[in-house]
Amino acid sequence: MVTILLAVDGSECAQRAAAHLVEHRNWYQEAPVVHLLYVHPPIPVGLVQAHLSHETVERHYREEAEQDLASVEARLKAAGMAYQRHIHVGQPAQVIAHQAQELQVDLVLMGSHGRGAVSGALLGSVATKVLHLCERPVLLVK
């Protein structure tokens, strides 16, 4: 059975990756096991956290994740695809690569903004970092 890590962030690119998975689910003999991953970048430590309780910060992470996951989850449910939801806080590329290894997935699927080499080099790219860090195959949907 194929295991796929679908990494999403609420962007249109993530929507395209989810659509790609749904449209191509027949590529697999059996329904793939889907791990739906959302990684929230950490709120900078310092004055902000000095004024907010741990519970408030955790609620913020959870609410934002649920909002960004809602449309992808609806798409997967409409297609009859089961999934397991994972929400983490950390540096997205590192968390995606770590979860891919930890879950022993066969494929990491994610969207790419497709900004190109120069823009990607200047701005950095989660997708590019995942390609470098991940030991598992990665499929980028542009």
Side-chain angles (χ1 to χ4, degrees), residues 45-91:
V45 178
L47 295 177
V48 172
Q49 288 190 352
H51 298 287
L52 299 174
S53 69
H54 176 74
E55 292 79 20
T56 300
V57 173
E58 290 298 315
R59 186 174 58 245
H60 166 74
Y61 288 144
R62 186 181 59 254
E63 288 173 355
E64 190 166 294
E66 288 175 358
Q67 179 181 354
D68 287 345
L69 286 168
S71 59
V72 171
E73 288 179 326
R75 183 184 302 265
L76 293 174
K77 286 177 186 175
M81 297 183 73
Y83 61 90
Q84 183 176 359
R85 177 201 269 194
H86 303 269
I87 299 173
H88 291 273
V89 176
Q91 298 304 317

mmCIF file of all heavy atoms in Angstrom, residues 45-91:
data_model
loop_
_atom_site.group_PDB
_atom_site.id
_atom_site.type_symbol
_atom_site.label_atom_id
_atom_site.label_comp_id
_atom_site.label_asym_id
_atom_site.label_seq_id
_atom_site.Cartn_x
_atom_site.Cartn_y
_atom_site.Cartn_z
ATOM 1 N N VAL A 45 9.887 34.072 19.601
ATOM 2 C CA VAL A 45 9.955 34.145 21.058
ATOM 3 C C VAL A 45 10.328 35.576 21.445
ATOM 4 O O VAL A 45 11.033 36.263 20.737
ATOM 5 C CB VAL A 45 11.010 33.156 21.600
ATOM 6 C CG1 VAL A 45 11.131 33.251 23.101
ATOM 7 C CG2 VAL A 45 10.664 31.749 21.174
ATOM 8 N N GLY A 46 9.854 36.002 22.555
ATOM 9 C CA GLY A 46 10.216 37.342 23.020
ATOM 10 C C GLY A 46 9.018 38.058 23.579
ATOM 11 O O GLY A 46 8.189 37.477 24.275
ATOM 12 N N LEU A 47 8.897 39.330 23.211
ATOM 13 C CA LEU A 47 7.852 40.167 23.782
ATOM 14 C C LEU A 47 6.445 39.655 23.497
ATOM 15 O O LEU A 47 5.565 39.759 24.336
ATOM 16 C CB LEU A 47 7.994 41.597 23.274
ATOM 17 C CG LEU A 47 9.266 42.324 23.719
ATOM 18 C CD1 LEU A 47 9.332 43.704 23.090
ATOM 19 C CD2 LEU A 47 9.308 42.428 25.233
ATOM 20 N N VAL A 48 6.246 39.084 22.299
ATOM 21 C CA VAL A 48 4.905 38.596 21.956
ATOM 22 C C VAL A 48 4.479 37.512 22.932
ATOM 23 O O VAL A 48 3.391 37.557 23.492
ATOM 24 C CB VAL A 48 4.870 38.072 20.504
ATOM 25 C CG1 VAL A 48 3.548 37.396 20.208
ATOM 26 C CG2 VAL A 48 5.127 39.204 19.536
ATOM 27 N N GLN A 49 5.345 36.544 23.147
ATOM 28 C CA GLN A 49 4.981 35.440 24.031
ATOM 29 C C GLN A 49 4.951 35.865 25.495
ATOM 30 O O GLN A 49 4.295 35.214 26.304
ATOM 31 C CB GLN A 49 5.910 34.259 23.811
ATOM 32 C CG GLN A 49 5.632 33.580 22.484
ATOM 33 C CD GLN A 49 6.372 32.266 22.329
ATOM 34 O OE1 GLN A 49 7.212 31.911 23.143
ATOM 35 N NE2 GLN A 49 6.056 31.541 21.276
ATOM 36 N N ALA A 50 5.643 36.954 25.826
ATOM 37 C CA ALA A 50 5.597 37.452 27.204
ATOM 38 C C ALA A 50 4.208 37.974 27.550
ATOM 39 O O ALA A 50 3.822 38.000 28.712
ATOM 40 C CB ALA A 50 6.635 38.548 27.403
ATOM 41 N N HIS A 51 3.435 38.365 26.524
ATOM 42 C CA HIS A 51 2.109 38.937 26.744
ATOM 43 C C HIS A 51 0.970 37.962 26.426
ATOM 44 O O HIS A 51 -0.194 38.309 26.617
ATOM 45 C CB HIS A 51 1.942 40.204 25.900
ATOM 46 C CG HIS A 51 2.922 41.271 26.269
ATOM 47 N ND1 HIS A 51 2.837 42.001 27.432
ATOM 48 C CD2 HIS A 51 4.029 41.714 25.638
ATOM 49 C CE1 HIS A 51 3.833 42.860 27.501
ATOM 50 N NE2 HIS A 51 4.579 42.705 26.421
ATOM 51 N N LEU A 52 1.316 36.795 25.929
ATOM 52 C CA LEU A 52 0.299 35.809 25.578
ATOM 53 C C LEU A 52 0.527 34.525 26.371
ATOM 54 O O LEU A 52 1.662 34.095 26.541
ATOM 55 C CB LEU A 52 0.355 35.486 24.080
ATOM 56 C CG LEU A 52 0.097 36.640 23.116
ATOM 57 C CD1 LEU A 52 0.336 36.184 21.688
ATOM 58 C CD2 LEU A 52 -1.322 37.160 23.277
ATOM 59 N N SER A 53 -0.555 33.912 26.784
ATOM 60 C CA SER A 53 -0.424 32.646 27.504
ATOM 61 C C SER A 53 -0.098 31.527 26.514
ATOM 62 O O SER A 53 -0.342 31.639 25.309
ATOM 63 C CB SER A 53 -1.734 32.315 28.227
ATOM 64 O OG SER A 53 -2.748 32.002 27.283
ATOM 65 N N HIS A 54 0.444 30.453 27.055
ATOM 66 C CA HIS A 54 0.745 29.271 26.239
ATOM 67 C C HIS A 54 -0.531 28.771 25.550
ATOM 68 O O HIS A 54 -0.509 28.410 24.377
ATOM 69 C CB HIS A 54 1.348 28.172 27.118
ATOM 70 C CG HIS A 54 1.609 26.904 26.395
ATOM 71 N ND1 HIS A 54 2.647 26.758 25.499
ATOM 72 C CD2 HIS A 54 0.953 25.717 26.413
ATOM 73 C CE1 HIS A 54 2.619 25.537 25.002
ATOM 74 N NE2 HIS A 54 1.610 24.885 25.541
ATOM 75 N N GLU A 55 -1.638 28.796 26.271
ATOM 76 C CA GLU A 55 -2.913 28.339 25.717
ATOM 77 C C GLU A 55 -3.365 29.212 24.545
ATOM 78 O O GLU A 55 -3.903 28.716 23.564
ATOM 79 C CB GLU A 55 -4.003 28.321 26.805
ATOM 80 C CG GLU A 55 -3.787 27.277 27.881
ATOM 81 C CD GLU A 55 -2.756 27.701 28.932
ATOM 82 O OE1 GLU A 55 -2.470 28.917 29.065
ATOM 83 O OE2 GLU A 55 -2.220 26.800 29.601
ATOM 84 N N THR A 56 -3.144 30.521 24.649
ATOM 85 C CA THR A 56 -3.523 31.436 23.576
ATOM 86 C C THR A 56 -2.706 31.153 22.317
ATOM 87 O O THR A 56 -3.246 31.113 21.210
ATOM 88 C CB THR A 56 -3.324 32.906 24.013
ATOM 89 O OG1 THR A 56 -4.143 33.146 25.161
ATOM 90 C CG2 THR A 56 -3.689 33.875 22.897
ATOM 91 N N VAL A 57 -1.419 30.941 22.497
ATOM 92 C CA VAL A 57 -0.542 30.642 21.356
ATOM 93 C C VAL A 57 -0.952 29.314 20.722
ATOM 94 O O VAL A 57 -1.074 29.211 19.496
ATOM 95 C CB VAL A 57 0.941 30.629 21.781
ATOM 96 C CG1 VAL A 57 1.832 30.152 20.650
ATOM 97 C CG2 VAL A 57 1.371 32.015 22.250
ATOM 98 N N GLU A 58 -1.179 28.299 21.547
ATOM 99 C CA GLU A 58 -1.593 26.990 21.032
ATOM 100 C C GLU A 58 -2.931 27.086 20.298
ATOM 101 O O GLU A 58 -3.120 26.467 19.252
ATOM 102 C CB GLU A 58 -1.683 25.963 22.166
ATOM 103 C CG GLU A 58 -0.348 25.564 22.729
ATOM 104 C CD GLU A 58 0.542 24.901 21.698
ATOM 105 O OE1 GLU A 58 0.066 24.026 20.953
ATOM 106 O OE2 GLU A 58 1.735 25.266 21.652
ATOM 107 N N ARG A 59 -3.875 27.867 20.824
ATOM 108 C CA ARG A 59 -5.168 28.050 20.170
ATOM 109 C C ARG A 59 -4.991 28.729 18.815
ATOM 110 O O ARG A 59 -5.612 28.351 17.826
ATOM 111 C CB ARG A 59 -6.123 28.844 21.057
ATOM 112 C CG ARG A 59 -7.536 28.931 20.463
ATOM 113 C CD ARG A 59 -8.550 29.596 21.382
ATOM 114 N NE ARG A 59 -8.138 30.949 21.756
ATOM 115 C CZ ARG A 59 -7.829 31.332 22.992
ATOM 116 N NH1 ARG A 59 -7.881 30.483 23.997
ATOM 117 N NH2 ARG A 59 -7.476 32.574 23.229
ATOM 118 N N HIS A 60 -4.102 29.714 18.746
ATOM 119 C CA HIS A 60 -3.809 30.399 17.481
ATOM 120 C C HIS A 60 -3.281 29.403 16.447
ATOM 121 O O HIS A 60 -3.747 29.373 15.312
ATOM 122 C CB HIS A 60 -2.791 31.521 17.701
ATOM 123 C CG HIS A 60 -2.199 32.037 16.434
ATOM 124 N ND1 HIS A 60 -2.908 32.842 15.558
ATOM 125 C CD2 HIS A 60 -0.983 31.845 15.868
ATOM 126 C CE1 HIS A 60 -2.141 33.125 14.525
ATOM 127 N NE2 HIS A 60 -0.979 32.531 14.689
ATOM 128 N N TYR A 61 -2.308 28.588 16.846
ATOM 129 C CA TYR A 61 -1.755 27.584 15.932
ATOM 130 C C TYR A 61 -2.854 26.647 15.431
ATOM 131 O O TYR A 61 -2.960 26.367 14.238
ATOM 132 C CB TYR A 61 -0.681 26.746 16.626
ATOM 133 C CG TYR A 61 0.632 27.449 16.893
ATOM 134 C CD1 TYR A 61 1.351 27.168 18.050
ATOM 135 C CD2 TYR A 61 1.176 28.360 16.006
ATOM 136 C CE1 TYR A 61 2.571 27.773 18.308
ATOM 137 C CE2 TYR A 61 2.389 28.975 16.258
ATOM 138 C CZ TYR A 61 3.088 28.677 17.407
ATOM 139 O OH TYR A 61 4.290 29.266 17.661
ATOM 140 N N ARG A 62 -3.673 26.153 16.351
ATOM 141 C CA ARG A 62 -4.725 25.191 15.993
ATOM 142 C C ARG A 62 -5.776 25.817 15.085
ATOM 143 O O ARG A 62 -6.150 25.244 14.065
ATOM 144 C CB ARG A 62 -5.375 24.628 17.264
ATOM 145 C CG ARG A 62 -6.379 23.520 16.999
ATOM 146 C CD ARG A 62 -7.021 22.985 18.274
ATOM 147 N NE ARG A 62 -7.722 24.025 19.033
ATOM 148 C CZ ARG A 62 -7.283 24.573 20.158
ATOM 149 N NH1 ARG A 62 -6.138 24.193 20.678
ATOM 150 N NH2 ARG A 62 -7.969 25.502 20.770
ATOM 151 N N GLU A 63 -6.235 27.030 15.422
ATOM 152 C CA GLU A 63 -7.280 27.682 14.626
ATOM 153 C C GLU A 63 -6.789 28.005 13.215
ATOM 154 O O GLU A 63 -7.526 27.820 12.238
ATOM 155 C CB GLU A 63 -7.765 28.950 15.324
ATOM 156 C CG GLU A 63 -8.608 28.658 16.553
ATOM 157 C CD GLU A 63 -8.947 29.901 17.361
ATOM 158 O OE1 GLU A 63 -8.461 31.012 17.031
ATOM 159 O OE2 GLU A 63 -9.697 29.761 18.350
ATOM 160 N N GLU A 64 -5.563 28.490 13.100
ATOM 161 C CA GLU A 64 -5.039 28.797 11.774
ATOM 162 C C GLU A 64 -4.865 27.527 10.953
ATOM 163 O O GLU A 64 -5.184 27.490 9.764
ATOM 164 C CB GLU A 64 -3.716 29.545 11.881
ATOM 165 C CG GLU A 64 -3.269 30.087 10.529
ATOM 166 C CD GLU A 64 -2.163 31.099 10.664
ATOM 167 O OE1 GLU A 64 -2.406 32.184 11.231
ATOM 168 O OE2 GLU A 64 -1.050 30.796 10.194
ATOM 169 N N ALA A 65 -4.386 26.466 11.583
ATOM 170 C CA ALA A 65 -4.224 25.195 10.883
ATOM 171 C C ALA A 65 -5.572 24.667 10.399
ATOM 172 O O ALA A 65 -5.709 24.259 9.239
ATOM 173 C CB ALA A 65 -3.547 24.176 11.792
ATOM 174 N N GLU A 66 -6.559 24.697 11.268
ATOM 175 C CA GLU A 66 -7.881 24.183 10.885
ATOM 176 C C GLU A 66 -8.477 24.980 9.737
ATOM 177 O O GLU A 66 -9.094 24.414 8.831
ATOM 178 C CB GLU A 66 -8.801 24.165 12.095
ATOM 179 C CG GLU A 66 -8.417 23.082 13.083
ATOM 180 C CD GLU A 66 -9.221 23.099 14.367
ATOM 181 O OE1 GLU A 66 -10.077 23.985 14.552
ATOM 182 O OE2 GLU A 66 -8.976 22.205 15.205
ATOM 183 N N GLN A 67 -8.277 26.277 9.758
ATOM 184 C CA GLN A 67 -8.778 27.131 8.670
ATOM 185 C C GLN A 67 -8.085 26.781 7.348
ATOM 186 O O GLN A 67 -8.734 26.654 6.317
ATOM 187 C CB GLN A 67 -8.543 28.591 9.016
ATOM 188 C CG GLN A 67 -9.009 29.560 7.950
ATOM 189 C CD GLN A 67 -8.715 31.011 8.345
ATOM 190 O OE1 GLN A 67 -8.266 31.295 9.456
ATOM 191 N NE2 GLN A 67 -8.948 31.911 7.425
ATOM 192 N N ASP A 68 -6.762 26.625 7.397
ATOM 193 C CA ASP A 68 -6.020 26.327 6.173
ATOM 194 C C ASP A 68 -6.222 24.898 5.693
ATOM 195 O O ASP A 68 -6.073 24.616 4.504
ATOM 196 C CB ASP A 68 -4.524 26.599 6.388
ATOM 197 C CG ASP A 68 -4.200 28.083 6.433
ATOM 198 O OD1 ASP A 68 -5.052 28.899 6.021
ATOM 199 O OD2 ASP A 68 -3.089 28.430 6.881
ATOM 200 N N LEU A 69 -6.564 23.987 6.582
ATOM 201 C CA LEU A 69 -6.784 22.590 6.205
ATOM 202 C C LEU A 69 -8.200 22.322 5.696
ATOM 203 O O LEU A 69 -8.427 21.344 4.985
ATOM 204 C CB LEU A 69 -6.520 21.678 7.409
ATOM 205 C CG LEU A 69 -5.069 21.464 7.794
ATOM 206 C CD1 LEU A 69 -4.981 20.787 9.156
ATOM 207 C CD2 LEU A 69 -4.354 20.644 6.740
ATOM 208 N N ALA A 70 -9.146 23.177 6.026
ATOM 209 C CA ALA A 70 -10.564 22.909 5.767
ATOM 210 C C ALA A 70 -10.860 22.562 4.302
ATOM 211 O O ALA A 70 -11.535 21.567 4.025
ATOM 212 C CB ALA A 70 -11.418 24.092 6.213
ATOM 213 N N SER A 71 -10.382 23.351 3.372
ATOM 214 C CA SER A 71 -10.732 23.098 1.966
ATOM 215 C C SER A 71 -10.055 21.842 1.422
ATOM 216 O O SER A 71 -10.650 21.122 0.621
ATOM 217 C CB SER A 71 -10.402 24.315 1.096
ATOM 218 O OG SER A 71 -9.034 24.610 1.187
ATOM 219 N N VAL A 72 -8.836 21.559 1.867
ATOM 220 C CA VAL A 72 -8.162 20.336 1.422
ATOM 221 C C VAL A 72 -8.875 19.122 2.008
ATOM 222 O O VAL A 72 -9.116 18.133 1.309
ATOM 223 C CB VAL A 72 -6.668 20.348 1.812
ATOM 224 C CG1 VAL A 72 -6.018 18.991 1.550
ATOM 225 C CG2 VAL A 72 -5.930 21.447 1.064
ATOM 226 N N GLU A 73 -9.240 19.198 3.284
ATOM 227 C CA GLU A 73 -9.961 18.088 3.889
ATOM 228 C C GLU A 73 -11.301 17.864 3.196
ATOM 229 O O GLU A 73 -11.701 16.710 2.951
ATOM 230 C CB GLU A 73 -10.167 18.354 5.382
ATOM 231 C CG GLU A 73 -8.886 18.238 6.166
ATOM 232 C CD GLU A 73 -9.050 18.526 7.647
ATOM 233 O OE1 GLU A 73 -9.876 19.376 8.019
ATOM 234 O OE2 GLU A 73 -8.341 17.886 8.430
ATOM 235 N N ALA A 74 -11.987 18.931 2.840
ATOM 236 C CA ALA A 74 -13.266 18.799 2.132
ATOM 237 C C ALA A 74 -13.061 18.128 0.777
ATOM 238 O O ALA A 74 -13.865 17.270 0.376
ATOM 239 C CB ALA A 74 -13.913 20.174 1.956
ATOM 240 N N ARG A 75 -11.990 18.485 0.091
ATOM 241 C CA ARG A 75 -11.690 17.892 -1.222
ATOM 242 C C ARG A 75 -11.418 16.389 -1.075
ATOM 243 O O ARG A 75 -11.921 15.579 -1.853
ATOM 244 C CB ARG A 75 -10.485 18.588 -1.845
ATOM 245 C CG ARG A 75 -10.129 18.098 -3.243
ATOM 246 C CD ARG A 75 -8.861 18.746 -3.769
ATOM 247 N NE ARG A 75 -8.924 20.181 -3.825
ATOM 248 C CZ ARG A 75 -9.264 20.889 -4.900
ATOM 249 N NH1 ARG A 75 -9.588 20.271 -6.013
ATOM 250 N NH2 ARG A 75 -9.280 22.199 -4.871
ATOM 251 N N LEU A 76 -10.630 16.023 -0.083
ATOM 252 C CA LEU A 76 -10.315 14.605 0.128
ATOM 253 C C LEU A 76 -11.563 13.818 0.527
ATOM 254 O O LEU A 76 -11.805 12.716 0.026
ATOM 255 C CB LEU A 76 -9.228 14.451 1.191
ATOM 256 C CG LEU A 76 -7.842 14.988 0.827
ATOM 257 C CD1 LEU A 76 -6.902 14.910 2.024
ATOM 258 C CD2 LEU A 76 -7.260 14.256 -0.370
ATOM 259 N N LYS A 77 -12.375 14.399 1.410
ATOM 260 C CA LYS A 77 -13.614 13.730 1.831
ATOM 261 C C LYS A 77 -14.566 13.546 0.658
ATOM 262 O O LYS A 77 -15.174 12.482 0.500
ATOM 263 C CB LYS A 77 -14.298 14.522 2.942
ATOM 264 C CG LYS A 77 -13.606 14.406 4.276
ATOM 265 C CD LYS A 77 -14.291 15.277 5.326
ATOM 266 C CE LYS A 77 -13.511 15.270 6.625
ATOM 267 N NZ LYS A 77 -14.070 16.191 7.624
ATOM 268 N N ALA A 78 -14.702 14.571 -0.174
ATOM 269 C CA ALA A 78 -15.597 14.494 -1.338
ATOM 270 C C ALA A 78 -15.157 13.395 -2.305
ATOM 271 O O ALA A 78 -15.988 12.788 -2.976
ATOM 272 C CB ALA A 78 -15.650 15.844 -2.054
ATOM 273 N N ALA A 79 -13.852 13.141 -2.349
ATOM 274 C CA ALA A 79 -13.324 12.094 -3.233
ATOM 275 C C ALA A 79 -13.338 10.721 -2.556
ATOM 276 O O ALA A 79 -12.926 9.732 -3.155
ATOM 277 C CB ALA A 79 -11.900 12.452 -3.652
ATOM 278 N N GLY A 80 -13.802 10.683 -1.307
ATOM 279 C CA GLY A 80 -13.841 9.416 -0.581
ATOM 280 C C GLY A 80 -12.474 8.939 -0.129
ATOM 281 O O GLY A 80 -12.276 7.743 0.082
ATOM 282 N N MET A 81 -11.535 9.864 0.016
ATOM 283 C CA MET A 81 -10.174 9.501 0.416
ATOM 284 C C MET A 81 -9.987 9.721 1.922
ATOM 285 O O MET A 81 -10.210 10.815 2.417
ATOM 286 C CB MET A 81 -9.144 10.323 -0.363
ATOM 287 C CG MET A 81 -9.189 10.068 -1.853
ATOM 288 S SD MET A 81 -7.914 10.987 -2.748
ATOM 289 C CE MET A 81 -6.467 10.035 -2.271
ATOM 290 N N ALA A 82 -9.590 8.673 2.594
ATOM 291 C CA ALA A 82 -9.304 8.772 4.024
ATOM 292 C C ALA A 82 -7.931 9.410 4.209
ATOM 293 O O ALA A 82 -7.058 9.298 3.356
ATOM 294 C CB ALA A 82 -9.334 7.387 4.652
ATOM 295 N N TYR A 83 -7.764 10.062 5.339
ATOM 296 C CA TYR A 83 -6.484 10.704 5.632
ATOM 297 C C TYR A 83 -6.311 10.799 7.134
ATOM 298 O O TYR A 83 -7.269 10.697 7.895
ATOM 299 C CB TYR A 83 -6.408 12.109 5.011
ATOM 300 C CG TYR A 83 -7.469 13.043 5.540
ATOM 301 C CD1 TYR A 83 -7.238 13.822 6.662
ATOM 302 C CD2 TYR A 83 -8.718 13.108 4.932
ATOM 303 C CE1 TYR A 83 -8.225 14.662 7.162
ATOM 304 C CE2 TYR A 83 -9.704 13.938 5.420
ATOM 305 C CZ TYR A 83 -9.456 14.709 6.539
ATOM 306 O OH TYR A 83 -10.436 15.525 7.043
ATOM 307 N N GLN A 84 -5.077 11.002 7.528
ATOM 308 C CA GLN A 84 -4.765 11.262 8.927
ATOM 309 C C GLN A 84 -4.150 12.647 8.994
ATOM 310 O O GLN A 84 -3.225 12.960 8.257
ATOM 311 C CB GLN A 84 -3.791 10.221 9.463
ATOM 312 C CG GLN A 84 -3.482 10.409 10.927
ATOM 313 C CD GLN A 84 -2.586 9.301 11.462
ATOM 314 O OE1 GLN A 84 -2.198 8.387 10.763
ATOM 315 N NE2 GLN A 84 -2.255 9.409 12.735
ATOM 316 N N ARG A 85 -4.670 13.481 9.860
ATOM 317 C CA ARG A 85 -4.236 14.874 9.982
ATOM 318 C C ARG A 85 -3.069 14.986 10.971
ATOM 319 O O ARG A 85 -3.082 14.387 12.027
ATOM 320 C CB ARG A 85 -5.406 15.716 10.480
ATOM 321 C CG ARG A 85 -5.056 17.163 10.723
ATOM 322 C CD ARG A 85 -6.035 17.785 11.650
ATOM 323 N NE ARG A 85 -7.141 18.397 10.923
ATOM 324 C CZ ARG A 85 -7.987 19.238 11.502
ATOM 325 N NH1 ARG A 85 -7.884 19.538 12.770
ATOM 326 N NH2 ARG A 85 -8.966 19.772 10.806
ATOM 327 N N HIS A 86 -2.069 15.785 10.557
ATOM 328 C CA HIS A 86 -0.915 16.065 11.413
ATOM 329 C C HIS A 86 -0.699 17.572 11.422
ATOM 330 O O HIS A 86 -0.587 18.188 10.358
ATOM 331 C CB HIS A 86 0.357 15.397 10.881
ATOM 332 C CG HIS A 86 0.241 13.921 10.710
ATOM 333 N ND1 HIS A 86 0.568 13.025 11.703
ATOM 334 C CD2 HIS A 86 -0.179 13.178 9.653
ATOM 335 C CE1 HIS A 86 0.372 11.800 11.265
ATOM 336 N NE2 HIS A 86 -0.088 11.867 10.027
ATOM 337 N N ILE A 87 -0.629 18.159 12.602
ATOM 338 C CA ILE A 87 -0.370 19.592 12.739
ATOM 339 C C ILE A 87 0.882 19.746 13.599
ATOM 340 O O ILE A 87 0.948 19.190 14.701
ATOM 341 C CB ILE A 87 -1.561 20.334 13.379
ATOM 342 C CG1 ILE A 87 -2.802 20.186 12.496
ATOM 343 C CG2 ILE A 87 -1.212 21.802 13.602
ATOM 344 C CD1 ILE A 87 -4.071 20.740 13.124
ATOM 345 N N HIS A 88 1.854 20.485 13.069
ATOM 346 C CA HIS A 88 3.109 20.694 13.789
ATOM 347 C C HIS A 88 3.482 22.164 13.751
ATOM 348 O O HIS A 88 3.049 22.909 12.862
ATOM 349 C CB HIS A 88 4.239 19.865 13.166
ATOM 350 C CG HIS A 88 4.076 18.402 13.373
ATOM 351 N ND1 HIS A 88 4.538 17.756 14.489
ATOM 352 C CD2 HIS A 88 3.483 17.453 12.610
ATOM 353 C CE1 HIS A 88 4.249 16.472 14.404
ATOM 354 N NE2 HIS A 88 3.600 16.266 13.273
ATOM 355 N N VAL A 89 4.331 22.563 14.670
ATOM 356 C CA VAL A 89 4.896 23.905 14.708
ATOM 357 C C VAL A 89 6.399 23.748 14.538
ATOM 358 O O VAL A 89 7.018 22.919 15.208
ATOM 359 C CB VAL A 89 4.579 24.620 16.038
ATOM 360 C CG1 VAL A 89 5.265 25.978 16.095
ATOM 361 C CG2 VAL A 89 3.074 24.765 16.216
ATOM 362 N N GLY A 90 6.977 24.519 13.624
ATOM 363 C CA GLY A 90 8.416 24.448 13.407
ATOM 364 C C GLY A 90 8.772 25.031 12.049
ATOM 365 O O GLY A 90 7.937 25.652 11.383
ATOM 366 N N GLN A 91 9.999 24.810 11.649
ATOM 367 C CA GLN A 91 10.445 25.254 10.333
ATOM 368 C C GLN A 91 9.866 24.278 9.303
ATOM 369 O O GLN A 91 10.158 23.078 9.357
ATOM 370 C CB GLN A 91 11.975 25.299 10.267
ATOM 371 C CG GLN A 91 12.592 26.275 11.251
ATOM 372 C CD GLN A 91 12.039 27.688 11.078
ATOM 373 O OE1 GLN A 91 11.882 28.177 9.964
ATOM 374 N NE2 GLN A 91 11.724 28.339 12.185
#
